[in-house]
Amino acid sequence: MAVVFQKSRMLTDVPFSYCPGCTHGIAHRLIAEALEELRCEGRTIGIAPVGCSVFAYKFFNCDMQQVAHGRAPAAATGIKRTHPDKVVFVYQGDGDLASIGTAEIIHAAARGENVTVIFINNAIYGMTGGQMAPTTLIGQKTTTSPAGRTIAANGNPIRVCEMLATLDGPSYIARCALSDPANVMKAKKAILKGFRNQLEGKGFSLIELLSTCPTNMGLTPVAAADYVKNDMTKVFPLGVYKDIDAEQK
Amino acid sequence: MKKLMKGNEAIAEAAIRGGCRAFFGYPITPQNEIPEYMSHRLPEVGGVFLQAESEVSAINMVYGAAGSGARVMTSSSSPGISLKQEGISYICGAELPCVIVNMVRGGPGLGGIQPAQSDYFQAVKGGGHGDYHMLVYGPSTVQEAVDLMYDAFDKADKYRLPVMILGDGMLGQIMEAVEIPPMKDPAAFAPKPWATDGTGTGKGRRIINSLYIDPDELEKVNHRLFDVYVELAKNETAYEEYKTEDAEIVLVAYGTVARIAKSAVNLLRSNGVKAGLLRPITLFPFPSAILSALADKECIKSFTAIELSMGQMVEDVRLAVNGKKPVGFYGRTGGNVMSPEDIVKFISEKEGR
Amino acid sequence: MEEKIIIAGFGGQGVLSLGQFIAYAAIADGKEVTWLPSYGPEMRGGTSNCSVVVSDEKVASPIISSPDCLIAMNKPSLYKFQGRVRKGGTILVNSSLIAEKVDRDDVRAVYLDAGALALEAGNAKTANIVVLGAYIKLSGLFSVDLVAEMIKEKFAEKPKVIPANLKALELGYHAV
């Protein structure tokens, strides 16, 4: 019988522990496929953050480190600097990357660390139960902004891609959405590009993936995907924010 | 051949001779000569130097590099070490080997920049969250700091924990003649099959982690860590006894202060007071057994801990002596350093000798 | 034998390097030595000082409460440290910058116009070496030849300045 589809070799047999409709699973698969296609098996070190994806170390079939909240880009720097011939990727959520770890991500990007960062932005703290994130939309209700986020009380959401694209260090910065098949395929391409840049020594890349959290958004998986596509993209427009290859052309 | 070297620079060179090939740090007085030295010396031996954006990042770079098998270190001084505590706790939880230098300055807060020993509790009792310890050395001369640093990475690798060199501004800034040992051959270092060097797949993949959601699993880890500390106490406890054979008064001091106390012992003896000194070299594990044994000796009437703090190590001395003899305390703080004469005066007045 | 020396002056007067020269000479002479500087904001242009202990045995305390010798390169240093010199000790005063006399009669006070002698040696920056020359004479710790050799070694990368420094050493040595 011909095999028409199988799980990526860069994923373990451990079943994902994510909620139904959560897009972490899709993000994991895209990363695994990209690593497999680029023949990174046996030379990859991944970093799991603190947040829902804290258990990412169970799912990727490569050496993995689980690190302190927000510090993944620093740990990645330590790994890549001492193992420059290995592929290093960082997986972070919005609380991890854009709140407690802002210093680490900005400086890793500014140094142009030759690593690939996958940034999951679902505009909420998932693991801890739906609190406000640095990327929570204005008006969005969370357990710590029960009446909806306001500019007066909480300020505006942080646009990470736009901010990091102002730096000279990064080689590639893009925002994609895991909201529908077409956008998922675009995300796959962006992730491949990020890893290719690393393999070619071009330096830091970050791919932001707008993601769902049906559980804490209080939406069905389909409604959550629509929310990502219709509401989140208004605040976080999709696109490539930096690409040194395009600049050179 | 002996060479006149500044403490900080000698320690940095000893680290490299001992196999250190990566350094991540952030500037803070009085240890800046260590990163400065590393920044030009490490590239010469094919190593990595990086000035991090913060102490927090520096210790997490150490985590990443150590987890991937590198011989890596960081150095800082008190306020910076406080910032590193989160990372140190994770490093201990993930059982990673590395070396951390703390050239202690006065506190709390920004404190001062002059010598102090007020980070003793932080160094030996844990410092960050959770049940853990490091192997902590309190060298008293530049040569001893060099010798301890030279083997620190071997010890860290053997027990899979951080080794802390607890010095102070005086040790970092002083120049003394030192013998720098030869370069260790990295090829001879024991392999680290647990390290995430990127080659692991399938059943052979490695995970560096400090997260144990299952209570029984975490409890097992806690016990495993403490089994290592029992081994440490057995194998690594180090101290120096000075004129304790017939002593009536025993001073207990570590680090640079122990040198001052040693001069005080000699002054006291020339005044007819039978004084001696017990100098812990390892602060964790603390040399409790020898203190307990000394406390059993009939000739010894009392102990006095001498520290550049309000009294931290003295608590461990009291625990070890366990009420068998009185334990006094004399300390200076704020960056002030006592002279041998100050100690003699204290002993004469307070101890009635 | 144990000799405890405090050397103090303005930053930029070569106070720390003067102490280091004594330390290097001690090592070359097979003695034990510690050199401990004041550090921190003080080293940025303010006053600076260092403590040097030279001994036949391993040096215990590098902290000096009462020095055998004080080398005062400027007025504040003389006032700060003169009271701490042990009875019968020595205070070497840089009289180019200090018009005042030592305020004690139980120590040996020696006045040296280091600035003028440095100019005579051909380089105003050698005042600390003039003082070094005077110090080795007063202390009798090392031979002038040993220190001259050490100066040649330490300035090996700047051979142009060696003659003036050797001259300064000699002038200082014979001035006291």
Side-chain angles (χ1 to χ4, degrees), chain C residues 95-143:
Chain C
S95 59
S96 329
L97 290 183
I98 308 171
E100 289 72 7
K101 298 292 169 197
V102 172
D103 209 9
R104 287 175 59 176
D105 51 16
D106 57 350
V107 294
R108 170 171 63 157
V110 181
Y111 301 90
L112 179 72
D113 191 348
L117 291 171
L119 286 175
E120 194 182 326
N123 185 341
K125 286 184 188 164
T126 61
N128 62 339
I129 302 298
V130 171
V131 175
L132 176 65
Y135 173 74
I136 58 173
K137 173 86 161 289
L138 293 170
S139 67
L141 276 182
F142 321 108
S143 76

Side-chain angles (χ1 to χ4, degrees), chain B residues 73-239:
Chain B
M73 69 173 285
T74 186
S75 72
S76 190
S77 181
S78 310
I81 295 290
S82 288
L83 278 168
K84 288 188 202 292
Q85 289 304 331
E86 175 201 48
I88 294 173
S89 171
Y90 276 71
I91 285 169
C92 290
E95 298 164 82
L96 300 180
C98 64
V99 177
I100 301 160
V101 175
N102 182 1
M103 288 299 176
V104 183
R105 53 189 258 182
L110 205 45
I113 57 168
Q114 300 300 325
Q117 296 182 316
S118 40
D119 294 356
Y120 176 91
F121 283 153
Q122 189 194 49
V124 308
K125 305 293 179 188
H129 61 283
D131 263 332
Y132 72 85
H133 293 282
M134 300 177 281
L135 172 56
V136 183
Y137 290 118
S140 85
T141 66
V142 176
Q143 185 67 59
E144 189 173 56
V146 163
D147 296 341
L148 292 171
M149 174 56 98
Y150 186 58
D151 290 333
F153 289 95
D154 297 335
K155 304 286 182 199
D157 283 356
K158 180 178 174 187
Y159 298 102
R160 284 189 61 181
L161 44 66
V163 174
M164 177 172 273
I165 307 279
L166 194 70
D168 61 48
M170 211 186 324
L171 184 72
Q173 298 298 323
I174 198 171
M175 281 182 103
E176 291 190 278
V178 283
E179 189 93 48
I180 300 285
M183 192 74 83
K184 284 185 185 174
D185 177 12
F189 299 152
K192 299 178 180 177
W194 48 265
T196 58
D197 64 3
T199 57
T201 57
K203 280 187 180 139
R205 73 196 190 95
R206 282 70 54 102
I207 293 167
I208 299 299
N209 181 31
S210 67
L211 175 67
Y212 301 94
I213 288 289
D214 174 5
D216 291 336
E217 210 185 334
L218 179 54
E219 191 170 44
K220 227 184 269 171
V221 171
N222 291 144
H223 281 278
R224 184 167 75 227
L225 293 180
F226 274 70
D227 288 346
V228 171
Y229 307 148
V230 171
E231 282 299 299
L232 273 187
K234 218 187 291 169
N235 305 336
E236 305 299 337
T237 306
Y239 56 85

Side-chain angles (χ1 to χ4, degrees), chain B residues 12-23:
Chain B
E13 181 61 31
I16 288 172
R17 301 287 176 106
C20 177
R21 289 297 178 272
F23 181 98

